[in-house]
């Protein structure tokens, strides 16, 4: 199909199907129209300034998404992952060559067909529509938690917090607590930020944290990055495709 800018485009189906966005959001349709990459987007991917700032992929997606009413910060992380894969296919085709490890632990070149990556299977009928809020009772402490899926904006802010902590501390910086403080939006009905932060820092048992993460993973829409890779000798193996610097910059 073609849009007003006369560039060929493709419609990308989001893993969330738009189910958790407000009805008035342009993302509620569960589809995003993206145009094929041009020299303009090549310039974005090779911009030293954008690469240094770590925002080249963000600027690429903003350029490729046809509907400019879509705010990249509002997109759920799983949906953003699907858009990144789609952008890679539209830019360089479905075949992706990368380095991984075979069953014996040896480093080996592998090739995968990115179009074989499927969305995670989610039972949407058991989840509320049009709202990003999910109740969960912690199995050990029996505390009542309400959680949400993180967005691209959350992901960026967690990264900024980690970078800031690195500058003022020589200790190991973890994003686990920062992530929990953002995905938990109430504890026992109390949605005050300080209450949530105190709970995560001093009362959140690791056994409950594990179960919460398991639950979140079971309902969180995303693209399944596991597929079959082909090695140079013709053998095949199931591998997890990682979105690394190689994804858009093979020579990195």
């Amino acid at each position: 199909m073609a849009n007003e800018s006369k560039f060929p485009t493709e419609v990308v189906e989001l893993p969330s199907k738009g189910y958790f966005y407000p009805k008035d959001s342009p993302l509620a349709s569960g589809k995003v129209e993206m145009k094929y990459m041009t020299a303009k987007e090549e310039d974005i991917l090779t911009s030293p300034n954008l690469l240094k700032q770590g925002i080249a992929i963000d600027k690429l997606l903003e350029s490729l998404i046809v509907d400019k009413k879509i705010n990249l910060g509002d997109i759920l992380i799983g949906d953003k992952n699907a858009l990144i894969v789609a952008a890679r296919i539209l830019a360089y085709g479905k075949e992706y060559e990368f380095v991984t490890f075979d069953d014996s632990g040896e480093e080996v070149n592998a090739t995968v067909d990115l179009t074989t990556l499927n969305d995670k299977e989610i039972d949407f009928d058991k989840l509320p529509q049009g709202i990003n809020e999910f109740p969960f009772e912690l199995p050990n402490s029996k505390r009542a938690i309400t959680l949400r899926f993180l967005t691209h904006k959350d992901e960026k802010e967690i990264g900024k917090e980690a970078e800031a902590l690195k500058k003022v501390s020589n200790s190991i910086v973890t994003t686990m607590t920062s992530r929990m403080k953002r995905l938990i939006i109430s504890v026992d009905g109390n949605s005050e930020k300080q209450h949530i932060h105190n709970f995560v820092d001093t009362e959140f048992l690791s056994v409950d944290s594990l179960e919460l993460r398991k639950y979140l993973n079971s309902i969180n829409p995303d693209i399944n990055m596991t597929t079959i890779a082909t090695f140079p000798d013709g053998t095949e193996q199931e591998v997890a495709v990682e979105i690394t610097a190689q994804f858009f910059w093979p020579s990195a």
Side-chain angles (χ1 to χ4, degrees), residues 90-150:
L90 293 177
Y92 303 117
K94 64 181 183 179
E95 285 199 351
Y96 172 48
E97 297 181 9
F98 64 107
V99 177
T100 186
F101 297 91
D102 61 20
D103 287 333
S104 65
E106 292 293 322
E107 194 173 84
V108 62
N109 292 323
T111 302
V112 298
D113 178 350
L114 293 175
T115 62
T116 63
L117 299 177
N118 297 313
D119 295 344
K120 284 173 53 180
E121 292 188 9
I122 303 293
D123 190 348
F124 290 92
D125 291 336
K126 293 184 178 180
L127 300 170
Q129 186 172 8
I131 187 170
N132 184 9
E133 294 183 12
F134 312 95
F136 181 72
E137 182 181 275
L138 299 177
N140 189 279
S141 66
K142 304 303 180 183
R143 306 289 290 272
I145 301 294
T146 304
L147 62 149
R148 68 185 179 93
F149 300 138
L150 297 183

Side-chain angles (χ1 to χ4, degrees), residues 6-244:
K6 298 182 181 179
F7 286 115
T9 65
E10 293 286 347
V11 174
V12 180
E13 303 275 350
L14 300 177
S16 72
K17 305 185 188 302
Y19 199 82
F20 307 107
Y21 297 101
K23 289 183 179 179
D24 60 352
S25 168
L27 295 164
S29 68
K31 301 176 182 179
V32 172
E33 186 179 3
M34 299 180 71
K35 72 184 187 70
Y36 282 76
M37 240 176 73
T38 65
K40 174 186 174 182
E41 284 75 38
E42 288 272 359
D43 287 342
I44 291 173
L45 285 176
T46 56
S47 165
N49 185 41
L50 296 180
L51 291 170
K52 184 177 180 180
Q53 295 180 65
I55 59 174
I57 296 297
D58 292 357
K59 293 300 181 183
L60 172 68
L61 291 180
E62 289 173 354
S63 181
L64 294 179
I65 292 173
V66 174
D67 186 350
K68 299 309 177 185
K69 295 190 298 292
I70 292 176
N71 185 337
L72 193 61
D74 295 336
I75 297 178
L76 300 179
I77 292 174
D79 287 341
K80 182 197 169 191
N81 290 338
L83 294 180
I84 290 175
V85 172
R88 173 58 172 74
I89 294 172
L90 293 177
Y92 303 117
K94 64 181 183 179
E95 285 199 351
Y96 172 48
E97 297 181 9
F98 64 107
V99 177
T100 186
F101 297 91
D102 61 20
D103 287 333
S104 65
E106 292 293 322
E107 194 173 84
V108 62
N109 292 323
T111 302
V112 298
D113 178 350
L114 293 175
T115 62
T116 63
L117 299 177
N118 297 313
D119 295 344
K120 284 173 53 180
E121 292 188 9
I122 303 293
D123 190 348
F124 290 92
D125 291 336
K126 293 184 178 180
L127 300 170
Q129 186 172 8
I131 187 170
N132 184 9
E133 294 183 12
F134 312 95
F136 181 72
E137 182 181 275
L138 299 177
N140 189 279
S141 66
K142 304 303 180 183
R143 306 289 290 272
I145 301 294
T146 304
L147 62 149
R148 68 185 179 93
F149 300 138
L150 297 183
T151 64
H152 173 59
K153 179 182 178 181
D154 294 316
E155 190 177 48
K156 287 179 69 66
E157 291 180 351
I158 290 170
K160 287 179 181 178
E161 288 177 7
E163 287 299 317
L165 286 172
K166 284 180 183 178
K167 293 178 180 178
V168 299
S169 174
N170 292 323
S171 60
I172 297 174
V173 176
T174 175
T175 60
M176 178 63 74
T177 54
S178 294
R179 192 171 294 275
M180 285 295 175
K181 289 173 182 177
R182 289 183 182 277
L183 66 86
I184 294 175
I185 56 177
S186 76
V187 179
D188 296 327
N190 190 332
S191 58
E192 293 180 359
K193 282 189 177 181
Q194 192 57 51
H195 180 73
I196 295 170
H197 289 191
N198 288 338
F199 168 76
V200 172
D201 287 335
T202 64
E203 303 174 49
F204 198 15
L205 302 176
S206 58
V207 62
D208 280 335
S209 173
L210 175 62
E211 292 305 315
L212 185 146
R213 282 179 278 132
K214 284 182 179 178
Y215 173 69
L216 182 65
N217 184 60
S218 71
I219 65 171
N220 194 12
D222 205 339
I223 188 167
N224 185 352
M225 299 298 286
T226 300
T227 188
I228 301 298
T230 303
F231 297 150
D233 63 2
T235 60
E236 295 183 336
Q237 178 181 308
E238 187 174 80
V239 299
V241 180
E242 295 184 6
I243 299 177
T244 64

